């Protein structure tokens, strides 16, 4: 290719996002605990909706373009969460909403701020928009509001905070988030990433803060507690003026008719969400205790995963190898500069027992 054909500045600096591994050479069956997926899978309502779509008319409507305004899906989101449907935007996963925010609000010379172990997509989307990613330190793997406030400058346009955070699993008090929203400069939009909000009993994901002010947006996803990571549907909620801006950069047909129909059905499956939350909490608390008893460092996690910290990176690699030999995939954390840690998605209680058994065996063998 000609040297004259070059991407925009910054694009070649983007480190490719690596998803959690899904396969192990020479094995048909693996236990995949590397991508924070719901071990129960999608709920019965989502599955029934898909069957209706496939069997109903076998795709005879697929020549029709999908709804461009996602009205039914947005109205369902609004009803389920008690929101104003006009202030909801839907995307191809919340990843796409994050990308819209960066594209619309940040560009060359601007800064996009997040915390040290923040979700990698914040950095990638900022770089894709030509903006400068800035990471503020955390305090003992917890979001540090003072550090974020200290890192905000006249160039900061967006501040991303996931609460609970991934990959740490930790959560900070909503009053701390409010202090952050109050303290940021007027030109910075605070984005609360609520990908794991439903796992926290009674938590609104930051909704009250969005309702109370003009500088806060919340993102949510169907990929986690709804068990629909493969469907790719997420949404955002914010001030009308912000949502209107994001809709200008959103492709008119970003969500297919199948995505919209299945997501709409899944949102009303309250039993599946409640069961997923309950079983996750029981298995997560058991696994946390079992690993701590074996001397592994584990912070209290509020999500559907834990971050297990070993003495050294070599020890983490050794445990990872033993798990793989036993057919279990977890996430190495080198990409997050946590090489001594493994992020382990909470599977079923049986999955957790199997995993803990292998970890304990590996640590005791030495
Ligand atoms: C999984 C995850 C998301 C959701 O991504 P989708 O694109 O909706 O699948 C967003 N933020 C964080 C922190 C996550 O861990």
């Amino acid at each position: 290719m000609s040297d004259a054909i070059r991407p925009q500045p910054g694009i070649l600096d983007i480190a490719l996002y690596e998803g959690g591994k899904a396969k192990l050479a020479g094995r048909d069956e693996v236990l995949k605990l590397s991508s924070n997926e719901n071990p129960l899978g999608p709920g019965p309502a989502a599955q029934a909706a898909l069957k209706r779509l496939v069997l109903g008319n076998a795709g005879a409507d697929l020549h029709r373009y999908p709804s461009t305004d996602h009205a039914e899906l947005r109205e369902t989101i609004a009803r389920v969460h008690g929101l104003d449907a006009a202030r909801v935007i839907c995307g191809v996963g919340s990843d796409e909403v994050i990308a819209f925010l960066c594209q619309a609000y940040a560009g060359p010379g601007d800064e996009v701020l997040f915390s040290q172990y923040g979700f990698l997509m914040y950095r990638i989307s900022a770089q894709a928009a030509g903006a400068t990613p800035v990471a503020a330190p955390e305090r003992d793997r917890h979001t540090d509001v003072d550090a974020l406030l200290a890192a905000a400058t006249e160039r900061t346009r967006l501040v991303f905070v996931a609460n609970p955070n991934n990959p740490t699993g930790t959560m900070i008090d909503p009053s701390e988030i409010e202090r952050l929203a109050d303290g940021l400069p007027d030109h910075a939009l605070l984005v609360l990433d609520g990908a794991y909000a439903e796992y926290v009993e009674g938590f609104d994901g930051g909704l009250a803060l969005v309702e109370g002010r003009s500088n806060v947006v919340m993102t949510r996803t169907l990929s986690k507690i709804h068990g629909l990571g493969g469907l790719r549907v997420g949404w955002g909620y914010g001030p009308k003026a912000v949502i209107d801006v994001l809709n200008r950069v959103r492709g008119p047909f970003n969500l297919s008719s199948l995505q919209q129909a299945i997501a709409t059905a899944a949102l009303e499956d309250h039993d599946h969400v409640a069961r997923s939350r309950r079983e996750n909490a029981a298995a997560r608390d058991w696994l946390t205790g079992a690993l701590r008893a074996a001397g592994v460092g584990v912070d209290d996690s509020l999500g559907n995963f834990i971050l297990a910290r070993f003495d050294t990176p070599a020890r983490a690699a050794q445990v990872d190898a033993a798990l793989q030999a036993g057919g279990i995939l977890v996430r190495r954390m080198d990409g997050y500069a946590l090489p001594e840690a493994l992020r382990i998605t909470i599977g079923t209680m049986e999955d957790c027992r199997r995993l803990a058994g292998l970890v304990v065996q590996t640590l005791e063998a030495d």
Side-chain angles (χ1 to χ4, degrees), residues 30-199:
V30 292
L31 174 54
K32 186 180 178 224
L33 301 176
S34 55
S35 296
N36 297 350
E37 294 153 350
N38 184 338
L40 303 177
Q47 296 195 340
L50 177 59
K51 277 194 195 118
R52 271 196 308 278
L53 287 163
V54 173
L55 301 178
N57 62 8
D61 289 339
L62 278 180
H63 58 310
R64 306 283 181 211
Y65 274 92
S67 156
T68 76
D69 64 6
H70 314 143
E72 197 186 346
L73 176 55
R74 285 187 300 105
E75 274 154 24
T76 305
I77 291 168
R79 190 168 57 247
V80 167
H81 292 276
L83 315 175
D84 172 5
R87 293 164 51 201
V88 175
I89 182 168
C90 301
V92 178
S94 46
D95 282 0
E96 196 185 31
V97 180
I98 293 167
F100 294 156
L101 283 159
C102 289
Q103 193 186 341
Y105 286 99
D110 296 333
E111 293 173 352
V112 174
L113 180 60
F114 43 82
S115 67
Q116 187 176 3
Y117 304 120
F119 187 45
L120 287 178
M121 288 311 298
Y122 309 149
R123 174 181 296 276
I124 292 175
S125 295
Q127 287 175 303
T132 304
V134 178
E138 297 192 12
R139 198 190 303 133
D140 297 330
R141 296 166 305 280
H142 285 69
T143 301
D144 183 343
V145 165
D146 293 312
L148 286 166
L149 288 173
T153 72
E154 70 278 8
R155 292 187 295 278
T156 307
R157 290 287 173 273
L158 287 163
V159 181
F160 286 98
V161 174
N163 205 31
N165 195 13
N166 171 22
T168 57
T170 59
M171 185 170 174
I172 60 170
D173 196 82
S175 65
E176 276 291 281
I177 301 280
E178 188 164 0
R179 191 161 72 82
L180 177 60
D182 282 341
L184 286 173
D186 288 347
H187 50 264
L189 184 59
L190 173 61
V191 184
L192 301 177
D193 182 337
Y196 302 97
E198 293 91 344
Y199 284 104

Side-chain angles (χ1 to χ4, degrees), residues 215-236:
N215 65 336
V216 184
V217 173
M218 171 178 73
T219 61
R220 302 287 284 264
T221 183
L222 276 82
S223 300
K224 303 289 159 56
I225 208 162
H226 291 283
L228 290 168
L231 188 67
R232 311 304 304 131
V233 179
W235 52 276

Side-chain angles (χ1 to χ4, degrees), residues 234-257:
W235 52 276
Y237 187 64
K240 184 75 169 53
V242 173
I243 299 303
D244 285 347
V245 165
L246 302 184
N247 269 319
R248 289 168 199 267
V249 296
R250 179 178 68 81
F253 305 111
N254 63 327
L255 288 184
S256 72
S257 41

